[in-house]
């Protein structure tokens, strides 16, 4: 049987499956001609037995089983066949796959020559199955090569994929689509794919994985406006210090912003009007341009506005708002981070400055359009944003108080810086009404400055204690993994205070018990033991290793070093 | 570190022990006592574990009340339990 199997394998390469299986069939025929007719109906069921029968290796048993399983449905059997055979990966399974996909014209049989004794019946059963399968199959137009069928492991499962590939190939090659049942679909697809391999070498890949098929990229006409808008959006997104990840990159751009506000001012300028007024926007931009032309002498900033203006005009306003809104959540969320605050503060300062000048330019624009009241509110809002360093351009509440407190210092510095700039920015403003406006920006800022100067006064007593506690409070919020209320955080601070009191009392007691006046690590260990943190299973060193960073671990756990020395010394 | 091997980029949790703060607190409470250098770190370890237990307990309380946010009441109830436990 092995010889025939090998023979079959050899044969597969050159002729078709049909000839191969015919050969098998011929060989099988000679053995048991009687079984052929009897077991015709139960061909499919018999195949189910074949794996088990092979194991049993008793032909009689298998026959009995074959008969008993007649009631099973063919379809299910076929499915089971394929699935069961897939796992085994015998020549039988491979050839069965061939059967399922091979054309109908040949009386194909999966190799039944594997097992010595059951092979005769197996051969016949498989033959029957093959004949039945071939009956079920409708003829595809071309013969599939044997190699293809061998590659097919799950023809049923791949029906949809193959159909897709078939469709694609049909579309590409102009082949007619065939409405075939599953086996045919695979077969035809295989065949067509095989044919097409010569034409397009990539097709087999698509047969296997249609998702990986390379389709010609659909090219749409480039929308210049959208393209420029996207450019500006990305530049703004890069400029905004949203992520701490981006802060190194962002800081570079921050520097550029400080000296030369070109990359950011126009989009923001364009956006702010869109936020509040959609209608005057176009007029605003035109007015801006006019104003900027007039105010060219004021500073380098405005000069850089000009080349950007036309590009800016192309963009849709809504997109700006969206991009701005997108950048804002990034900023606000980033600001909430603890260590990211410092780099963020720089970015916040930049943004505050941007908003400041944006607010001012917008104010000028609004003035020209004649909506002073809205401008005032907008500017005051802008100042509020700037001072509080809140990035929500829409009239949303500012982010947490912590953010404000953290960034007030820097915001104050930035406002001072901006104040220096503002006069030169405002002087060339032509309309007399802007004089009114110029007084306005000065006033709110001046009113804001003194309060900020006053606040650092009564702090120094509490602050170091609070900052130390805040370290543990932050750890609390980190360990809890859940959002917390401010009141809850205050509560945590109180708990920590109480805890420290208890701790110190206990340590005093322990040290006094040991007759000492200094608290030693042994006292600490005793305390933790009494607390239940350290017990016989968990030692102090284990806890140290778990929770403390390496540097502290080295200080706490004595470790032997070279030269017969132990650090820390006992 | 066992409990937090990965920290999201947003929250950079400082692993440093506020040693000066701890020493100051101890000195303020017990001026007649002295604290050793490595005792400082063990106090920090103790604080970490206390905070950890407190957070776990608060989280459990919040879960039990089917709340997605930890509230003051949760923390209060948790503090009662944990402070009692860490009485020593």
């Amino acid at each position: 049987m092995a010889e025939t199997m090998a023979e079959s394998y050899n044969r597969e390469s050159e002729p078709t499956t049909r000839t191969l299986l015919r050969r098998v069939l011929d060989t099988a025929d000679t053995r048991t001609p009687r079984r052929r007719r009897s077991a015709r109906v139960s061909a499919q069921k018999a195949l189910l037995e074949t794996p088990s029968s092979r194991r049993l290796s008793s032909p009689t048993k298998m026959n009995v089983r074959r008969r008993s399983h007649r009631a099973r449905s063919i379809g299910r059997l076929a499915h089971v066949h394929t699935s069961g055979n897939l796992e085994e990966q015998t020549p039988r399974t491979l050839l069965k796959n061939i059967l399922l996909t091979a054309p109908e014209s040949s009386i194909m049989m999966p190799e039944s020559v594997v097992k010595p004794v059951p092979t005769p019946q197996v051969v016949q059963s498989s033959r029957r199955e093959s004949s039945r399968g071939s009956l079920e199959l409708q003829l595809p137009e071309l013969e599939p090569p044997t190699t293809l069928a061998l590659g097919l492991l799950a023809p049923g499962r791949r029906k949809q994929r193959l159909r897709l590939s078939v469709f694609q190939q049909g579309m590409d090659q102009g082949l007619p689509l065939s409405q075939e049942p599953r086996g045919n679909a695979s077969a035809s697809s295989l065949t067509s794919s095989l044919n097409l391999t010569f034409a397009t070498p990539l097709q087999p890949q698509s047969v296997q994985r249609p998702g990986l098929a390379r389709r010609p990229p659909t090219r749409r006409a480039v929308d210049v406006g959208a393209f420029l808008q996207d450019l500006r959006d990305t530049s703004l997104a890069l400029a905004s210090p949203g992520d701490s990840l981006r802060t190194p990159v962002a800081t570079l751009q921050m520097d550029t912003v400080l000296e030369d506000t070109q990359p950011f001012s126009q989009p923001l300028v364009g956006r702010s009007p869109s936020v509040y007024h959609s209608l005057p926007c176009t007029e605003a931009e035109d007015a801006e341009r006019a104003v900027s032309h007039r105010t060219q002498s004021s500073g380098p900033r405005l000069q850089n506005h000009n080349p950007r203006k036309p590009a800016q005009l192309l963009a849709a306003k809504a997109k700006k708002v969206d991009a701005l809104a997108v950048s804002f959540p990034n900023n606000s969320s980033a600001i909430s981070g603890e260590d990211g605050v410092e780099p963020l503060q720089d970015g916040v300062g930049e943004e505050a400055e941007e908003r400041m000048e944006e607010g001012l330019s917008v104010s000028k624009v609004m003035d020209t359009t004649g909506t002073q009241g809205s401008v005032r509110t907008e500017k005051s809002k802008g100042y509020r944003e700037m001072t509080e360093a809140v990035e929500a351009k829409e009239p949303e509440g500012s982010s947490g108080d912590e953010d404000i407190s953290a960034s007030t210092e820097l915001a104050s510095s930035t406002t001072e810086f901006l104040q220096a700039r503002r006069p030169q920015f405002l002087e060339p403003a032509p309309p007399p009404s802007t004089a009114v406006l110029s007084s306005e920006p000065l006033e709110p800022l001046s009113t804001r400055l003194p309060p900020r100067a006053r606040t650092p006064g009564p702090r120094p007593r509490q602050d170091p204690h609070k900052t130390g506690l805040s370290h543990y409070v932050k750890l609390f919020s980190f360990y809890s993994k859940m959002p917390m209320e401010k009141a809850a955080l205050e509560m945590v601070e109180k708990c920590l205070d109480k805890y420290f009191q208890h701790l110190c009392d206990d340590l005093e007691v322990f040290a006094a018990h040991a007759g000492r006046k200094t608290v030693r690590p042994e006292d600490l260990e005793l305390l933790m033991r009494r607390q239940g943190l350290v017990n016989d299973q968990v030692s102090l060193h284990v806890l140290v290793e778990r929770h403390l960073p390496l540097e502290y671990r080295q200080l706490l756990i004595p470790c032997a070093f070279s030269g017969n020395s132990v650090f820390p010394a006992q | 570190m066992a409990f937090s091997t990965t920290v999201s980029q947003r929250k950079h949790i400082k692993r440093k022990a506020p040693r000066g703060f701890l020493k100051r607190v101890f000195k303020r409470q017990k001026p007649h006592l002295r604290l050793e250098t490595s005792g400082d770190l063990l106090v920090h370890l103790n604080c970490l574990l206390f905070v950890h237990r407190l957070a776990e307990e608060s989280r459990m309380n919040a879960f039990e009340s089917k709340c997605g946010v930890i509230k003051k009441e949760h923390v209060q109830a948790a503090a009662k339990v944990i402070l009692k436990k860490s009485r020593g």
Side-chain angles (χ1 to χ4, degrees), chain A residues 418-435:
Chain A
L418 288 167
Q419 253 186 339
R421 280 208 197 177
R422 210 186 322 108
Q424 82 181 60
F425 189 82
L426 284 173
E427 276 158 22
S433 49
T434 51

Side-chain angles (χ1 to χ4, degrees), chain A residues 200-251:
Chain A
T200 55
L202 296 175
Q203 286 308 324
Q205 191 188 11
S206 70
V207 169
Q208 306 277 335
R209 307 243 169 100
L212 295 179
R214 287 184 206 160
R215 300 183 180 90
T218 56
R219 291 193 178 86
R220 298 172 291 171
V222 176
D223 180 16
V224 177
F227 175 63
L228 289 165
Q229 176 57 45
D230 291 340
L231 270 182
R232 228 171 309 108
D233 290 351
T234 50
S235 69
L236 184 73
L238 278 174
S240 63
D243 260 323
S244 55
L245 283 169
R246 288 184 287 182
T247 45
V249 179
T251 44

Side-chain angles (χ1 to χ4, degrees), chain A residues 400-421:
Chain A
D401 305 329
E402 299 159 6
D403 308 335
I404 297 168
S405 59
S407 51
T408 42
E409 306 143 355
L410 197 66
S412 59
S413 62
T414 53
T415 51
E416 287 159 356
F417 179 61
L418 288 167
Q419 253 186 339
R421 280 208 197 177

Side-chain angles (χ1 to χ4, degrees), chain A residues 489-537:
Chain A
L489 292 176
E490 311 276 337
M491 191 69 206
V492 170
E493 279 183 13
K494 275 193 239 162
C495 292
L496 276 172
D497 279 333
K498 271 198 214 153
Y499 164 75
F500 278 127
Q501 285 171 17
H502 289 310
L503 181 84
C504 294
D505 294 338
D506 292 341
L507 288 177
E508 182 183 13
V509 168
F510 294 153
H513 179 77
R516 286 184 262 109
K517 291 250 180 98
T518 51
V519 177
R520 286 240 194 100
E522 297 95 58
D523 301 332
L524 263 294
E525 169 148 18
L526 180 59
L527 172 69
M528 294 178 73
R529 196 173 274 276
R530 286 194 61 123
Q531 285 181 347
L533 295 166
V534 173
N535 47 28
D536 297 332
Q537 278 75 39

Side-chain angles (χ1 to χ4, degrees), chain B residues 37-86:
Chain B
T37 45
S38 46
D40 197 341
L41 298 172
L42 287 171
V43 168
H44 174 70
L45 175 67
N46 213 2
C47 293
L48 281 184
L49 292 166
F50 170 75
V51 161
H52 190 70
R53 278 181 297 172
L54 195 64
E56 287 293 328
E57 187 67 27
S58 318
R59 230 177 95 202
M60 274 171 32
N61 288 354
F63 278 156
E64 273 158 27
S65 63
K66 286 197 260 298
C67 198
V69 185
I70 293 183
K71 295 217 171 95
K72 187 171 174 172
E73 302 83 34
H74 307 145
V75 177
Q76 226 164 359
K80 276 199 199 148
V81 176
I82 302 295
L83 278 173
K84 191 143 198 316
K85 254 199 212 172
S86 23

Side-chain angles (χ1 to χ4, degrees), chain A residues 268 279 282 415 516 543:
Chain A
L268 291 177
L279 283 178
T282 48
T415 51
R516 286 184 262 109
L543 290 177

Side-chain angles (χ1 to χ4, degrees), chain A residues 78-127:
Chain A
H79 188 66
V80 170
H81 288 322
T82 50
S83 57
N85 290 336
L86 278 177
E87 292 141 21
E88 298 191 348
Q89 282 286 325
T90 58
R92 163 176 297 276
T93 69
L94 295 173
L95 286 179
K96 185 178 301 158
N97 294 331
I98 296 172
L99 160 75
L100 286 173
T101 62
E104 215 244 336
S105 56
S106 66
I107 306 169
M108 294 168 298
M109 273 180 52
E111 84 306 355
S112 49
V113 296
V114 182
K115 304 301 178 280
V117 178
T119 37
Q121 301 104 358
V122 162
V123 162
Q124 284 144 21
S125 58
S126 56
R127 198 188 318 146

